[in-house]
Amino acid sequence: MSNPKQIKSVSRRDFLRYTSLTGGAFVLGAVLPSFSPVWANAATANDTSNTLNLFVSIDDDSTVNIVCHRSEMGQGVRTGIPQIVADELCADWSKVNVVQGLADEAYGSQNTDGSRSIRRFYTTMREMGATARAMLEQAAAQKWSVPVAEVFAENGMIVHKASGKTLSFGQLASAAGQITPPEIKDLTFKSPEQFKLIGKPITSVDLPDVLIGNTTFGQDIKLDGMLYASIERCPVVGGSVKAFDKDAPLKVANVLAVVEMPKQSLPVLFKNLNGVAVLASNTWSALQGRQSLNVTWDLGANQTHDSEAYLTELKQRIVTKGKPFRQIGDAYKAYESSDQTLEATYTLPYLVHAPMEPPAATAVFKDGYCEVWACTQTPQSTQQNVAGALGIDKSKVKVNVTLLGGGFGRKSKPDFSVEAAVLAQKTGKPVKVVWSREDEIRHSYYHAISAQHFQAGIDANNQVTSWLQRTAFPSISWTFTGTTDEPQNNELSLGFGDLPFDIDNLSCETHKAPAHVRIGWMRSVCNIQHGFAIGSFVDELAERVGVSTAKMWLTLIGDDRIVDPKPEGFDYANYGEPDGAFPIETKRLKNVLNELMIKSAADQPTAENEGWGISVHRSFVSYVAVATKVRVENNKVSVLEMHSVIDAGRVINPDRVKSQQEGAMIFGLSIALMSEITLKEGAIEQSNFHDYNVLRMHQSPKIVTHIIESSEAPGGVGEPGVPPVAASVVNAIYHASKTRIRALPVSKHFTV
């Protein structure tokens, strides 16, 4: 609580501006150090530093309105953020009303990704609650003419200790709004023992409406006079329209317009893809009209891309010496002089997010202003990119965030909102762009295809004395530059360059990997391939020297210490955290592993044809260990049971953490067992869930989640569960069948 932040009362006009909520009697805004007040109008188009973390208002009837400026996609952020504020405020939870914030840079980052919603705003939200409580207590003390030390807040009331008199928050709201907010240094905060909401499994505030269908997702938006658009996009990234039949779709009943999308060139950014839109009075007619477009394409340079051939090239390249970026000692010399060696190459295919709800956005353009409704993880990016596409100032773009039917990173790319806005501008009518499942599978931003290579030198005492590791995959940065052809520092920081092993000789290297499709971040990002490769190689090392996998992990990690890759030449990004915050702590990494072995009994004997596999990984500043038990019979793999242990620091809502871990196990199992995107002649070969497989209910095993109780600062939760899963699965398969899988998915080798 040491940050010298500034909290001020806010006018009702500003509150309305940012929330579209009827202003309460008492409104607070928070400002981070060195930032301008959120309600100032001085921010420039390139200035995103004006950071509002939260608004709180209290109505006369004691309703406490708390703005959630992040997007809800099932992870529970619309419950977790208000829990923190309400706890410090001593609010009555039954009177808390959660309000979805509109897109505005004044909120600071609204990017709901990177597992950082709680991590980045925990302290500020506590300050907001404590400040509001202090002002309400001051107002009550003045009303009763007693020292403020004689009053306290409890469950939505201010209580006078001596007399037992009470006043509700609503009765005090107006008077509290006239009081100058206290300095942060003067605030008092609850001790963890006093928390009544933080750390409790509060039910999601959206659950009742979700259960009865009283919710609005992106696909649910309907406006008067709205047109439905379905777009035929070029099957190859970088390709463009040569010709199409504009008249044929207009012969389909209810088709009203055919519009060629603005031609775009590289970099792809978040621009629309080249193609032709068919607009109709209903979705079905738009889809039918689209089928008669008869588009011919100029497929461009990427039409030669073949994912199988490309992966073969990566595998050939990755076994050669790469470009080093972190080094200890002389890994090559130690490797050459070692008593025995082990090397292995691991690969993953392209992957796609496949959220249950494909992208959808609706836009209205009128009198130079645009209003958008979208299931977006990034409302500010939506605002900025829509404004750029329309040629208007972003202040003239209003973005309404709906609930998201899953996201996994796909909906942090606002290309679908840009499409809707462009068509609304061209037609002068409200337009909803509907992505079908086929559109989503074939035209997404993909998780990169990749290859990783490892070599270890082992001495006569079975100790690892040399470790070489290389990674190659097309970079997300290519999406923004069109020219980047190798992994970037921030990607190498995701579970690869931050290797926490205590080895005398280490070399971490990269290789080039040009991009041919839109590359984007997907849940856990590069930790997916790095967690799979490192976790598999540790298991192979354990087998080679004849020790348990857990013992090999503990030996490689070494003593309790803080790992800092920077003195070894790597400018480690650490998920954007400042130096000194959230260090790599080997004690916590070993602890989740040790807890896993105790809780899962993964070190106990199994039946014939069954086996346990384990792995552990730090990502998004949290620590997760996973154990998976499988049976392999008649060339078929069945996943029987999974355990995960997570240390995410202080947990705000354990029920949400458990749900996130369960979802991560299923997401990771899909990646490990069956998901794969392939390309021929530059085009995606898959189209729907019949050929892009994700885990079905009958394939989902028993899943048990264990949460480490911790007083450390909150870490990420949404993504850290995924990276250890694939390694735990293939390791289990090996221990059940003695078949080592180094190329995912498992379905290439076994029936699943």
Side-chain angles (χ1 to χ4, degrees), residues 492-510:
L492 298 171
S493 295
L494 303 179
F496 194 75
D498 52 349
L499 186 79
F501 293 168
D502 185 10
I503 297 175
D504 292 338
N505 301 284
L506 169 70
S507 184
C508 302
E509 305 169 3
T510 64

Side-chain angles (χ1 to χ4, degrees), residues 596-654:
L596 179 77
M597 301 313 293
I598 294 171
K599 302 291 188 184
S600 68
D603 54 354
Q604 299 301 305
T606 62
E608 187 178 3
N609 300 326
E610 294 182 0
W612 282 99
I614 64 167
S615 194
V616 60
H617 194 82
R618 174 188 181 271
S619 65
F620 304 93
V621 309
S622 292
Y623 305 77
V624 174
V626 172
T628 301
K629 186 179 184 181
V630 305
R631 179 186 300 126
V632 183
E633 283 185 330
N634 301 320
N635 206 47
K636 176 179 171 58
V637 173
S638 300
V639 180
L640 306 176
E641 183 176 345
M642 298 184 78
H643 289 253
S644 73
V645 176
I646 181 169
D647 176 357
R650 183 174 300 285
V651 166
I652 307 305
N653 189 324

Side-chain angles (χ1 to χ4, degrees), residues 92-389:
D92 178 352
W93 182 252
S94 69
K95 291 187 175 296
V96 169
N97 176 44
V98 180
V99 181
Q100 188 66 46
L102 299 172
D104 199 302
E105 66 180 13
Y107 283 118
S109 172
Q110 291 181 272
N111 294 349
T112 312
D113 53 21
S115 298
R116 54 190 170 184
S117 291
I118 298 296
R119 173 160 51 103
R120 291 284 172 84
F121 296 97
Y122 176 70
T123 298
T124 298
M125 288 183 284
R126 290 190 66 193
E127 291 169 349
M128 288 293 294
T131 300
R133 168 168 44 85
M135 296 167 73
L136 290 161
E137 290 173 342
Q138 182 67 41
Q142 291 176 0
K143 194 168 286 273
W144 289 325
S145 299
V146 300
V148 70
E150 293 185 6
V151 307
F152 64 94
E154 183 177 71
N155 199 35
M157 308 289 287
I158 302 297
V159 182
H160 182 222
K161 296 176 187 174
S163 66
K165 291 186 293 188
T166 61
L167 288 169
S168 70
F169 281 7
Q171 289 174 302
L172 293 166
S174 181
Q178 304 303 313
I179 292 174
T180 301
E183 297 289 331
I184 296 297
K185 63 181 178 58
D186 297 326
L187 293 175
T188 59
F189 298 94
K190 284 185 171 181
S191 67
E193 294 74 25
Q194 295 173 312
F195 289 156
K196 293 186 176 180
L197 297 172
I198 295 174
K200 301 299 187 295
I202 304 295
T203 301
S204 169
V205 297
D206 295 309
L207 185 59
D209 285 336
V210 169
L211 291 175
I212 62 173
N214 187 31
T215 49
T216 302
F217 292 85
Q219 298 280 5
D220 293 328
I221 298 297
K222 290 184 179 178
L223 302 177
D224 291 341
M226 183 176 77
L227 300 181
Y228 296 79
S230 181
I231 302 175
E232 183 74 9
R233 301 171 182 85
C234 185
V236 180
V237 168
S240 59
V241 176
K242 288 176 66 177
F244 64 97
D245 187 341
K246 187 171 184 177
D247 296 328
L250 294 171
K251 297 175 182 176
V252 176
N254 301 313
V255 171
L256 302 172
V258 177
V259 177
E260 182 176 353
M261 300 300 290
K263 186 175 182 179
Q264 306 290 353
S265 57
L266 301 180
V268 292
L269 302 170
F270 300 134
K271 297 179 289 190
N272 65 268
L273 289 171
N274 294 324
V276 183
V278 175
L279 298 99
S281 59
N282 60 74
T283 305
W284 177 251
S285 295
L287 288 168
Q288 293 301 301
R290 177 180 164 184
Q291 292 179 10
S292 61
L293 279 169
N294 194 27
V295 183
T296 57
W297 307 96
D298 177 356
L299 296 176
N302 287 321
Q303 64 180 303
T304 61
H305 183 53
D306 180 298
S307 55
E308 183 177 355
Y310 182 87
L311 190 57
T312 298
E313 291 178 15
L314 281 187
K315 290 166 65 178
Q316 293 170 345
R317 193 176 304 147
I318 202 69
V319 297
T320 64
K321 188 171 184 178
K323 175 182 171 183
F325 63 90
R326 180 188 173 194
Q327 290 183 301
I328 303 172
D330 189 334
Y332 284 91
K333 183 178 179 180
Y335 182 81
E336 294 299 328
S337 62
S338 58
D339 291 280
Q340 57 175 320
T341 62
L342 178 67
E343 62 180 294
T345 297
Y346 305 91
T347 64
L348 276 86
Y350 289 112
L351 299 165
V352 70
H353 313 77
M356 187 55 66
E357 177 200 37
T362 304
V364 174
F365 184 82
K366 185 177 182 181
D367 300 330
Y369 287 83
C370 184
E371 184 165 6
V372 176
W373 292 259
C375 47
T376 177
Q377 295 175 241
T378 53
Q380 288 170 10
S381 179
T382 299
Q383 184 182 41
Q384 180 177 342
N385 282 277
V386 165

Side-chain angles (χ1 to χ4, degrees), residues 21-97:
L21 181 74
T22 301
F26 175 34
V27 184
L28 290 179
V31 184
L32 288 179
S34 76
F35 295 161
S36 301
V38 66
W39 47 90
N41 295 317
T44 66
N46 298 320
D47 180 9
T48 58
S49 61
N50 284 344
T51 301
L52 174 67
N53 298 287
L54 199 63
F55 275 127
V56 178
S57 76
I58 299 175
D59 294 340
D60 292 338
D61 66 355
S62 292
T63 297
V64 178
N65 301 297
I66 300 177
V67 174
C68 179
H69 62 302
R70 318 289 279 192
S71 299
E72 177 64 63
M73 47 192 145
Q75 82 278 37
V77 71
R78 280 170 46 88
T79 305
I81 282 180
Q83 268 184 258
I84 303 168
V85 179
D87 203 329
E88 280 293 352
L89 179 58
C90 297
D92 178 352
W93 182 252
S94 69
K95 291 187 175 296
V96 169
N97 176 44

Side-chain angles (χ1 to χ4, degrees), residues 656-689:
R656 293 291 86 204
V657 174
K658 182 180 178 184
S659 296
Q660 287 287 296
Q661 282 296 99
E662 292 171 345
M665 298 304 105
I666 292 171
F667 197 85
L669 279 177
S670 294
I671 293 171
L673 295 176
M674 58 192 66
S675 296
E676 179 179 27
I677 289 289
T678 58
L679 290 95
K680 290 286 187 185
E681 298 180 346
I684 305 295
E685 293 187 295
Q686 290 70 31
S687 62
N688 208 315
F689 286 137

